[in-house]
Amino acid sequence: MTNDRGQKEGGSDGAANHLCCLSSIVHRHVSGRLVIATHNPGKLAEMRELLAPYGIDAISAGELSLKEPEETGMTFAANARIKAQAAANSTGQPAFADDSGLAVDALDGAPGIYSARWAGPDKNFSRAMETIEQNLFERGAGTPQQRKAHFVSALCVAWPDGHLEEFEACVDGTLVWPPRGDNGFGYDPMFLPDGQTRTFGEMGSEEKHGLPPRGKGLSHRARAFLKLAEACLDRP
Ligand code: ITT
């Protein structure tokens, strides 16, 4: 049996299982030019910052006038794959995509994969945060314990030959109201990561990423990126 990455899986045959284990640990190295398959300027800036120390020549979907594919997946990983594969196929170059969002426990994981859509066509995240707050109010979620949430980031690098590298991570936190800080993007001003006193909106990007050597990765995107870097990038 092969999975959707073209890798062998399952089966009772010992050799096949051995192959399966090997294929899952053999990662493809990322070097040279990488298309950043996002149309979100906040995300683009963060992805560029994360890649900067690795000597990757990053070019954005916007600079290449790539069309935004429809995100029809039901998971973050599926949507990251759709975006990376669409960009790799239309440019003939490896492409890097992030699908991410905010999952609120008291809202049964909403907005989740629909986090961008809650901001409407004009991408109004003040309104999206108000919508979340209104929903929390209607559910009587007032205490910090009732306002737990996590950000998720699924990263995918896709090559035109079909090879995929996929990584996912999250960061837990609490939603504050009113929102605090003007830094970052999206829902950052209402997200207070566990163990911190400042929201992502109050942090500079260095603090939000929390990368080594000072940190172990703080934001969902930085944590997923560290997994990618470990598997596919040369040490800076
Ligand atoms: P692309 O698909 O072009 O990359 P997008 O904004 O539509 O851009 P997503 O579908 O992944 O991207 O939507 C994720 C949304 O979740 C995004 O618009 C943000 O509002 C929110 N989000 C993700 N990561 C975030 C972060 O680090 N800080 C704040 N909000 C974030």
Side-chain angles (χ1 to χ4, degrees), residues 58-215:
I59 181 153
S60 75
E63 286 167 283
L64 294 169
S65 306
L66 299 184
K67 280 207 305 201
E68 280 188 66
E70 215 185 319
E71 294 179 30
T72 52
M74 294 308 294
T75 62
F76 292 107
N79 283 331
R81 202 178 304 151
I82 288 170
K83 291 186 264 193
Q85 283 179 324
N89 292 340
S90 59
T91 61
Q93 295 175 16
F96 178 31
D98 161 288
D99 198 73
S100 45
L102 181 69
V104 183
D105 292 1
L107 306 184
D108 306 317
I113 59 169
Y114 305 111
S115 294
R117 286 180 217 176
W118 278 36
D122 51 343
K123 304 192 182 196
N124 183 339
F125 281 94
S126 299
R127 202 174 57 209
M129 289 191 283
E130 274 165 19
T131 304
I132 288 185
E133 187 55 26
Q134 180 65 29
N135 277 280
L136 285 173
F137 177 77
E138 282 164 13
R139 300 211 181 183
T143 68
Q145 203 45 44
Q146 293 166 327
R147 298 170 61 91
K148 300 305 290 179
H150 53 273
F151 267 126
V152 180
S153 165
L155 299 180
C156 177
V157 183
W159 279 259
D161 67 3
H163 184 84
L164 298 173
E165 294 286 349
E166 298 174 298
F167 305 90
E168 189 165 319
C170 67
V171 55
D172 295 322
T174 304
L175 298 180
V176 301
W177 197 260
R180 295 179 355 211
D182 301 319
N183 294 336
F185 64 98
Y187 299 93
D188 278 343
M190 75 182 299
F191 189 82
L192 180 67
D194 285 352
Q196 306 290 318
T197 54
R198 282 193 291 274
T199 66
F200 274 164
E202 294 172 299
M203 294 182 180
S205 64
E206 209 175 295
E207 189 178 0
K208 178 180 172 183
H209 296 329
L211 291 173
R214 282 158 64 188

